[in-house]
Amino acid sequence: RTFESIIQQERESHTQKVLNVISSLCKEYDVQPVRNEKEIFRIACLIRRDREEQFNEAIYKAASLFDDGFAFSFNGPWPAY
């Protein structure tokens, strides 16, 4: 339980670090459960189409806050759901 608690705290910390960079560009966002033990976080973001380029730049800025031990994957745009 201690290990799981530490992992969860780390995931929350990393998620917040990314949200600090991208949340101002999101109309809404949803922090979703991770799908496997290798994922640190999953965030679905609803953004305005005219902010897509700014959002992509913010994702790269957020990724730069992490070392090479992390891999960022993002995709879209997708229709809102």
Side-chain angles (χ1 to χ4, degrees):
R1 283 187 276 175
T2 302
F3 179 74
E4 282 297 319
S5 176
I6 292 169
I7 293 294
Q8 186 59 34
Q9 289 173 3
E10 286 291 311
R11 283 184 168 138
E12 290 170 5
S13 172
H14 293 323
T15 301
Q16 192 57 54
K17 190 185 297 189
V18 172
L19 286 173
N20 288 343
V21 176
I22 68 170
S23 64
S24 66
L25 297 168
C26 300
K27 189 157 179 78
E28 292 182 41
Y29 63 86
D30 180 35
V31 178
Q32 301 179 338
V34 294
R35 293 177 292 192
N36 61 59
E37 64 188 32
K38 292 182 180 182
E39 284 187 337
I40 304 298
F41 56 82
R42 294 181 69 223
I43 306 170
C45 301
L46 180 64
I47 62 168
R48 292 171 36 139
R49 185 169 299 277
D50 62 348
R51 296 187 111 184
E52 186 177 349
E53 187 174 327
Q54 289 175 296
F55 181 78
N56 289 343
E57 290 171 6
I59 291 294
Y60 286 109
K61 180 179 177 182
S64 73
L65 301 174
F66 295 84
D67 65 31
D68 290 340
F70 294 86
F72 270 63
S73 173
F74 72 103
N75 56 57
W78 299 99
Y81 61 92

